[in-house]
Amino acid sequence: MTSLRQKALKLGAPWLCAMAVASSGAAVAAPPAKAQTAATKGTTAFSTETVVERARALAARPYQAPPKSLPKAYTQLNYDQYRDIRFRPERAHWRDAGLPFQVQFFHPGFLFQSPVVMNVVEAGRSQPLRFSQDLFSYGKVVNKASLPRSGVDGFAGLRFHHPLNRPDIFDELAVFQGASYFRSLGQGNLYGLSARGIAIDTAQPSPEEFPEFREFWLERPASGAGQVVVHALMDGPSITGAYRFTITPGSNTVMEVQATLFSRRTIDNLGVAPLTSMYLFGENDRAKFDDFRPEVHDSDGLLVWTKDGEQLWRPLQNPRQVRTSSFRAETPRAFGLLQRDTAFHNYEDLEAHYERRPSAWVEPVGEWGAGAVRLVEIPTPDETHDNIVAFWVPDAPLTPGTPLRVAYRLHWGARSPWESTGGVVTSTRITSAITPGMPVGEGVTPATRRFILDFSRTARAEDGPVEAVITAAKGQVLRSTIQRHEPSGGWRTTFELEPEGTSEPIELRAFLRRGSETLTETWSYLWIP
């Protein structure tokens, strides 16, 4: 089965993710002004502060939506036609120079009706890249003759290529396309979740805003460079921003993000370093889906690593209505949406290969201050919509005249960037506490649910008895047990929850300990009777 979303992934287009319901570093000094030479003609001086000052100046003026300047024939391209327009790999930027990174661009049109300006930077000078139909091949379903060769002054986005998996093949590494969306891959990954520059008023009564990256500057990497740098200018009704991305490919690809943000109004619900993903069902809530696949999701849980060292694991859910959860986190050590389950037999999808979707960890750099990690879960009937959003919200609002400088690292890949400090939750299963033909335990009603949690192996649990600590904000926890999970070498704990007549959501927590020593992360779950 090939969904619209899966087709879009082949395009490298995160625009399907835009469901309505991200301390700057030192500036790079610009070269001294001098007379134009043949080498500098048509170029302008550029530094990191160039983008910052552009963003500052934009914020001081009323917002102007980007002009819809594309010729009509471009805007009328349908999905199949747009998909049949492809960048010519032999025309990739920097290809002829033999550099370790190459850049390809996306054709404007279809949903992308406001072309994005592209520039290249070399030796402190910036020069624009011009759109040309010669950069693209047009398939049989496209009437190329109907597309004017003039009147187009930009692209729909860009993607970086690099020998990520093999030294002789330039694989896709990162994509920037659609509003302020971008995404990346570690070795062996396929595209899954996305990131955004910023989130504004997500899951609030007021409409959510989607600021856009209006212009990019690509720094030419040195021969043999291990990383590539791209700058972006963001603009939206309430905010502007200057971004610098340093992308280092590897088993986990790391993006160092530096952003300077300016607001046109007071913003109370600012989502910093937002991640967007898809969760349809997993082992904890698959009952309502008649599907041959055991699980369908790009991410299966939210990890929050607090400043005091506690690690929280919140399994994702596909709720009946929009649900928002907040986790207090002053300058968290990390948070992220993870695809922890990487076994093919847990998905059985030969096309989507959800087991190869990357996780994304956000690692703050510097002090972020007081705030909370917020998780938004949106109901979805299928896998074509991204319905999960996670970001950090500062307690202090962003106000006009006071810029916010924020820095973080984004780690994209299949493995945690940090050594494990204890056991982690590997599965969450929920079933009725009543088993046909078996005796019913005391206090068990039709509403009683049984939870089965598996934790990974932890060397610290080898000596002495292990205890499962389970708490419920409401209701009653009954018959908790713990035993070794012999196939994995880890632990399994089970318990029953009796809601005691409440229809309100119930917060559950569980972890393993030996004496006073905590052995695992904390499982955190919101059960809705």
Side-chain angles (χ1 to χ4, degrees):
M1 89 180 43
T2 302
S3 69
L4 180 63
R5 173 185 169 81
Q6 292 160 8
K7 293 179 182 177
L9 291 176
K10 296 175 184 177
L11 270 174
W15 46 268
L16 280 178
C17 300
M19 181 176 181
V21 339
S23 54
S24 70
V28 178
K34 58 184 179 181
Q36 290 257 311
T37 65
T40 62
K41 188 176 181 179
T43 68
T44 57
F46 178 84
S47 73
T48 299
E49 283 302 307
T50 301
V51 191
V52 174
E53 291 309 312
R54 287 275 301 276
R56 190 194 308 274
L58 274 176
R61 302 195 298 266
Y63 173 71
Q64 290 186 345
K68 306 294 185 182
S69 58
L70 278 180
K72 189 174 182 179
Y74 285 77
T75 64
Q76 291 182 337
L77 289 168
N78 61 33
Y79 174 83
D80 290 324
Q81 291 170 328
Y82 187 77
R83 185 170 180 264
D84 213 21
I85 301 175
R86 296 176 174 84
F87 194 90
R88 297 180 181 274
E90 68 274 13
R91 299 297 302 273
H93 199 68
W94 299 327
R95 179 186 177 100
D96 292 343
L99 298 181
F101 296 90
Q102 298 175 7
V103 188
Q104 298 184 15
F105 302 96
F106 292 103
H107 197 282
F110 183 42
L111 298 180
F112 309 103
Q113 300 185 13
S114 299
V116 180
V117 178
M118 300 290 173
N119 306 276
V120 291
V121 177
E122 186 173 359
R125 309 290 298 183
S126 170
Q127 185 172 25
L129 283 171
R130 305 298 183 189
F131 170 82
S132 170
Q133 290 185 358
D134 296 339
L135 297 173
F136 298 87
S137 63
Y138 297 80
K140 295 180 179 179
V141 300
V142 184
N143 182 8
K144 182 180 177 182
S146 70
L147 300 175
R149 296 185 68 89
S150 60
V152 182
D153 55 2
F155 299 87
L158 72 150
R159 59 187 175 194
F160 289 97
H161 290 244
H162 176 79
L164 183 63
N165 298 295
R166 288 176 45 177
D168 57 333
I169 295 179
F170 275 74
D171 301 297
E172 282 197 37
L173 174 66
V175 170
F176 293 79
Q177 187 184 25
S180 67
Y181 283 89
F182 59 96
R183 53 186 174 164
S184 191
L185 300 168
Q187 289 176 353
N189 290 149
L190 301 175
Y191 281 127
L193 81 169
S194 300
R196 278 191 271 168
I198 206 72
I200 299 177
D201 291 340
T202 304
Q204 298 297 312
S206 56
E208 182 171 6
E209 291 186 17
F210 291 89
E212 300 178 2
F213 286 145
R214 298 280 191 87
E215 190 166 357
F216 288 92
W217 291 263
L218 317 175
E219 290 192 17
R220 179 187 172 104
S223 178
Q227 58 189 28
V228 65
V229 177
V230 57
H231 305 257
L233 174 66
M234 185 182 72
D235 191 17
S238 301
I239 199 168
T240 68
Y243 287 77
R244 185 180 192 270
F245 301 89
T246 303
I247 307 172
T248 305
S251 56
N252 275 13
T253 291
V254 180
M255 288 185 175
E256 297 183 36
V257 184
Q258 298 173 348
T260 304
L261 304 169
F262 304 89
S263 66
R264 292 188 173 97
R265 64 168 177 89
T266 298
I267 303 174
D268 293 310
N269 291 285
L270 183 73
V272 176
L275 301 172
T276 302
S277 192
M278 181 277 294
Y279 179 90
L280 187 63
F281 62 87
E283 76 264 3
N284 55 309
D285 64 350
R286 62 160 288 110
K288 62 183 178 180
F289 290 94
D290 186 13
D291 197 301
F292 78 93
R293 298 168 295 179
E295 302 182 40
V296 176
H297 49 72
D298 285 338
S299 305
D300 55 10
L302 169 71
L303 175 73
V304 180
W305 190 5
T306 65
K307 190 174 185 178
D308 63 8
E310 183 179 23
Q311 295 187 28
L312 297 172
W313 175 252
R314 169 61 67 93
L316 297 178
Q317 299 181 61
N318 185 351
R320 294 189 292 266
Q321 57 189 11
V322 177
R323 188 166 70 201
T324 300
S325 305
S326 289
F327 306 85
R328 290 298 303 173
E330 177 180 348
T331 310
R333 296 190 185 185
F335 69 91
L337 291 175
L338 311 188
Q339 184 74 319
R340 195 170 263 182
D341 194 337
T342 57
F344 171 78
H345 66 263
N346 287 330
Y347 302 96
E348 292 292 344
D349 195 320
L350 292 171
E351 295 186 21
H353 282 288
Y354 288 111
E355 77 279 1
R356 295 176 62 189
R357 305 300 169 95
S359 298
W361 293 262
V362 177
E363 178 190 3
V365 175
E367 287 295 321
W368 280 19
V373 174
R374 187 173 296 172
L375 171 67
V376 179
E377 297 168 297
I378 305 167
T380 183
D382 55 51
E383 63 206 276
T384 64
H385 298 99
D386 277 8
N387 62 319
I388 304 296
V389 190
F391 45 82
W392 184 82
V393 182
D395 285 352
L398 182 61
T399 57
T402 305
L404 173 64
R405 298 177 182 268
V406 63
Y408 55 95
R409 297 183 189 94
L410 263 173
H411 303 261
W412 306 81
R415 296 184 178 179
S416 171
W418 304 280
E419 291 186 10
S420 175
T421 58
V424 301
V425 180
T426 58
S427 70
T428 300
R429 295 179 173 85
I430 307 169
T431 186
S432 171
I434 299 177
T435 302
M438 298 294 291
V440 176
E442 182 180 352
V444 172
T445 71
T448 306
R449 306 299 292 174
R450 178 177 291 122
F451 291 76
I452 303 97
L453 312 181
D454 289 341
F455 290 84
S456 68
R457 183 175 185 172
T458 169
R460 293 182 300 170
E462 297 302 323
D463 300 323
V466 174
E467 175 189 9
V469 181
I470 303 165
T471 57
K474 300 174 185 176
Q476 186 178 3
V477 173
L478 306 170
R479 285 175 285 279
S480 66
T481 65
I482 185 169
Q483 63 187 113
R484 288 303 299 259
H485 191 291
E486 296 297 342
S488 69
W491 297 87
R492 171 169 290 179
T493 182
T494 66
F495 67 93
E496 294 172 4
L497 173 69
E498 172 50 54
E500 295 186 333
T502 182
S503 60
E504 297 297 318
I506 301 174
E507 280 281 357
L508 301 169
R509 289 166 65 93
F511 64 93
L512 306 186
R513 72 183 178 192
R514 183 184 58 216
S516 61
E517 182 184 16
T518 298
L519 301 175
T520 66
E521 66 186 8
T522 299
W523 173 83
S524 170
Y525 201 82
L526 186 65
W527 168 249
I528 300 180

